[in-house]
Amino acid sequence: MQEEGVTFQSPVDGQQLLLTPERSTQIQNDIGANIMMALDDVVSSVCEDHDRFQEATHRTLRWIDRCISAHKRPSEQALFGIIQGGLDPKLRDVCINGLKARGDKLPGYAIGGLAGGEEKSAFCKVVSQCTAALPPNKPRYVMGVGYPLDLVVCSALGADMYDCVYPSRTARFGTALVPEGVLRLKSSAMAKDYRPIDNECDCLVCKSYTRAHLHAKITKEPHAASLLTYHNIRFQMRLCQDMHQAIISQEFEAFVQAFIRRQYPYRNIPVWVREALELAKIDL
């Protein structure tokens, strides 16, 4: 990492390559991305070097101006700024205010530097701080999230958008997402279970395959991971659609309460979930 840009090693030939804010923006312009992400200086949330967080926060603000200047199609492609600052509320405010000062040049914002091993309670406090301070008429995107529970909690805290490899990654290990949590299809208990993964799901996997069938395939055929990925992505899509509808119908609090009851039927709700939903003013 240097002021000019980020140096990385090519996976093709091992050559050292420099990615600058200008080059990053140009590539995204060229491929026609609907949403473009500004190049930022990100530090692991568990790093203990406060000076490094300060450096990254201020460099991210310097780089956003270079990205804005290099952006050739602002009327067609939305450039999002990324909020850095680690777990330090003051640094987060510095970055939030700096990005907001760029006005309409940034039609959306991303909350970066999280989901890297920090305490969940600290994660939620940062999300809450950022969403509360950002303009309500622009999308707020939490990067690298996440688990279904994270999607519900962060939506309650005011976030709008997410991305994560979790649905496909967990499928490769034979795990399917269900309203109660997860279903581990490699378990011997699945060998004679002839129900679909999820009775409520409308995906072709749930319509065509039983748990027992998938259990038999998951340790032998790579194809099975693709089937579980298909189901898991559909599960996340349905979850987001249901949240969207609950918000429109002004029934989101009831939706969250019902979701938590299914995830934790014995009321063993983690402290961080309770604290986060208190911030969101949702009673459990």
Side-chain angles (χ1 to χ4, degrees):
M1 184 75 66
Q2 53 190 298
E3 189 62 28
E4 181 61 18
V6 183
T7 301
F8 65 97
Q9 188 175 45
S10 168
V12 177
D13 57 11
Q15 181 182 355
Q16 292 293 304
L17 303 174
L18 176 66
L19 183 68
T20 65
E22 292 80 8
R23 179 60 177 149
S24 172
T25 303
Q26 180 193 347
I27 291 170
Q28 294 177 85
N29 277 152
D30 289 346
I31 65 176
N34 293 323
I35 296 175
M36 300 169 50
M37 305 308 302
L39 189 66
D40 63 332
D41 185 351
V42 60
V43 184
S44 168
S45 59
V46 296
C47 174
E48 297 182 355
D49 186 348
H50 187 262
D51 290 342
R52 180 70 184 93
F53 280 115
Q54 285 191 314
E55 176 187 50
T57 301
H58 291 284
R59 178 175 286 146
T60 293
L61 291 175
R62 292 192 297 272
W63 281 3
I64 192 64
D65 291 322
R66 292 169 60 184
C67 290
I68 290 170
S69 296
H71 190 9
K72 302 304 182 186
R73 300 168 60 189
S75 63
E76 303 168 63
Q77 298 171 276
L79 176 65
F80 280 30
I82 304 177
I83 300 165
Q84 293 296 343
L87 304 180
D88 185 329
K90 293 182 179 178
L91 287 179
R92 287 283 174 176
D93 276 341
V94 167
C95 207
I96 291 167
N97 293 331
L99 294 178
K100 285 167 63 177
R102 273 67 180 180
D104 291 339
K105 293 176 181 178
L106 298 176
Y109 304 95
I111 302 169
L114 295 176
E118 70 280 349
E119 295 269 345
K120 281 292 215 177
S121 58
F123 163 86
C124 291
K125 287 176 183 176
V126 171
V127 172
S128 180
Q129 175 191 355
C130 293
T131 56
L134 291 170
N137 63 331
K138 294 184 179 183
R140 294 161 291 193
Y141 155 41
V142 184
M143 305 182 79
V145 173
Y147 304 124
L149 180 59
D150 290 340
L151 301 187
V152 173
V153 169
C154 289
S155 294
L157 292 172
D160 306 298
M161 300 168 59
Y162 312 94
D163 80 294
C164 192
V165 300
Y166 176 67
S168 55
R169 183 183 62 201
T170 199
R172 293 198 296 273
F173 294 101
T175 302
L177 304 180
V178 293
E180 295 75 19
V182 296
L183 192 67
R184 305 193 188 283
L185 288 159
K186 288 185 178 181
S187 167
S188 59
M190 298 291 106
K192 295 184 179 181
D193 191 333
Y194 299 103
R195 294 173 293 171
I197 293 173
D198 179 1
N199 284 315
E200 300 172 16
C201 184
D202 59 0
C203 80
L204 66 84
V205 179
C206 287
K207 290 178 179 178
S208 306
Y209 297 89
T210 66
R211 297 177 180 186
H213 185 99
L214 292 166
H215 168 79
K217 293 171 76 74
I218 197 66
T219 57
K220 301 174 184 177
E221 301 179 30
H223 173 61
S226 298
L227 294 174
L228 292 187
T229 296
Y230 187 100
H231 164 77
N232 286 350
I233 291 175
R234 179 59 186 150
F235 178 90
Q236 297 283 62
M237 290 173 64
R238 288 173 51 237
L239 175 61
C240 290
Q241 289 167 351
D242 290 345
M243 285 196 289
H244 180 73
Q245 186 56 52
I247 291 168
I248 291 173
S249 304
Q250 297 186 346
E251 297 175 344
F252 185 64
E253 181 171 358
F255 173 90
V256 173
Q257 292 165 339
F259 178 87
I260 296 297
R261 281 196 298 271
R262 292 193 73 172
Q263 292 269 313
Y264 301 101
Y266 303 108
R267 302 294 294 173
N268 55 332
I269 303 170
V271 172
W272 72 267
V273 175
R274 292 184 181 276
E275 291 176 346
L277 294 180
E278 283 179 11
L279 288 173
K281 296 182 170 56
I282 291 179
D283 295 326
L284 291 179

